[in-house]
Amino acid sequence: LHQLRYSGILEAVKISRASYPNRLKINSFISHFQCILDFVSFPIISKILKVENFSENEINLRKKIVWDICSKVKTFDKNNKKIFQFGKTRLYFGQGLLENIEKIRAEFLYERVLKIQNQFRRILRASGFHHMRGKVVIIQSQIKRFLQQKSHEKLCKNVVLIQSIARKRKAAIFLQNSQ
C-alpha cells in the first residue's frame, strides 16, 4: 500500500474514480449494448459500425445511438453532462453508469433467454405429445385387436356349441323317427 501511495498510483486511481473511471471505444460500446435498443435500429447500427472514417453526420448518429442506450438507465439524467463524455473514438463514463447499463443488458438478455427456453420447451412438449399420441394410438389398436380376437374366439366357441346342440337335437329327432 505504501509503495502504491508513493508511486502515485493511488492518487491516479482516486482521480480516475472522481472523473470518468470507465472508457470504451464508441463502436465497441454500440456493438455490445445495441441489443437493448429496438430492432428497427439494427440495420443502421451495423452500417455505422462498418465505417472507419467519421463524417459529421455519422458522429451525430453515433451520439444519438449512445444517448438512446444510456437513456434506458432509469437514473440517467440527460441534463447532467458529467455522466459521460464523447471523445473522438472513445466514450468516458462517470461513476456507475456503465455498470447500470450492463445490468440492464444482463436483464434484457436474461428475459430473452427465458423466452427462447419457453418456446423450446413448448416445442419439445408438442413434439413429445405427438410422439406420445402416436404410441397411444398403437397401444389402442393393439388392445382393440386383442379384444376383437377374444370376441371372435368366444363367438367361435358359441357357434360350435350351437352347432353341437343343433346336431344333438337333429340326431335325437332322427333316432325318434327311426324307432
Side-chain angles (χ1 to χ4, degrees):
L1 188 64
H2 293 295
Q3 288 177 342
L4 294 175
R5 185 177 295 135
Y6 289 125
S7 65
I9 293 178
L10 283 179
E11 206 54 41
V13 168
K14 285 181 185 176
I15 291 170
S16 174
R17 292 222 180 254
S19 57
Y20 300 104
N22 300 315
R23 63 178 182 264
L24 283 174
K25 287 187 176 182
I26 294 174
N27 283 352
S28 64
F29 174 79
I30 291 173
S31 66
H32 188 69
F33 293 107
Q34 74 179 353
C35 63
I36 62 177
L37 292 176
D38 299 328
F39 290 114
V40 178
S41 311
F42 283 5
I44 298 168
I45 290 172
S46 63
K47 184 179 176 183
I48 286 175
L49 292 176
K50 292 177 184 175
V51 176
E52 294 295 324
N53 299 327
F54 304 133
S55 68
E56 187 66 32
N57 187 27
E58 289 163 348
I59 290 172
N60 290 335
L61 196 52
R62 279 185 169 84
K63 286 183 179 181
K64 183 189 177 311
I65 291 170
V66 170
W67 277 102
D68 288 346
I69 291 171
C70 291
S71 67
K72 299 287 183 179
V73 177
K74 292 178 183 174
T75 59
F76 180 70
D77 182 14
K78 289 185 179 182
N79 298 325
N80 188 356
K81 299 293 181 187
K82 292 184 179 181
I83 195 110
F84 72 92
Q85 290 291 323
F86 287 96
K88 283 191 174 186
T89 59
R90 293 189 181 265
L91 287 169
Y92 299 92
F93 296 94
Q95 187 74 24
L97 179 63
L98 193 59
E99 291 86 6
N100 289 339
I101 296 172
E102 189 64 48
K103 283 180 188 175
I104 290 172
R105 180 179 178 270
E107 289 170 1
F108 179 83
L109 292 177
Y110 181 73
E111 289 173 6
R112 294 305 180 262
V113 165
L114 286 180
K115 285 184 180 179
I116 291 170
Q117 285 176 343
N118 286 339
Q119 290 296 324
F120 187 70
R121 287 182 185 129
R122 185 186 63 78
I123 290 169
L124 282 178
R125 281 192 304 267
S127 68
F129 171 75
H130 292 301
H131 179 71
M132 191 181 301
R133 190 171 78 186
K135 298 291 184 185
V136 166
V137 167
I138 290 171
I139 291 171
Q140 285 176 340
S141 67
Q142 292 295 324
I143 290 173
K144 286 178 182 177
R145 185 186 62 80
F146 176 75
L147 292 175
Q148 286 290 343
Q149 187 176 3
K150 286 292 183 185
S151 174
H152 180 68
E153 288 174 3
K154 191 175 183 180
L155 183 68
C156 286
K157 281 184 181 179
N158 289 336
V159 166
V160 168
L161 182 66
I162 291 172
Q163 286 176 347
S164 68
I165 292 172
R167 287 185 190 134
K168 191 176 182 183
R169 284 193 178 170
K170 192 175 182 183
I173 293 173
F174 181 71
L175 268 170
Q176 272 182 349
N177 289 339
S178 62
Q179 289 179 348

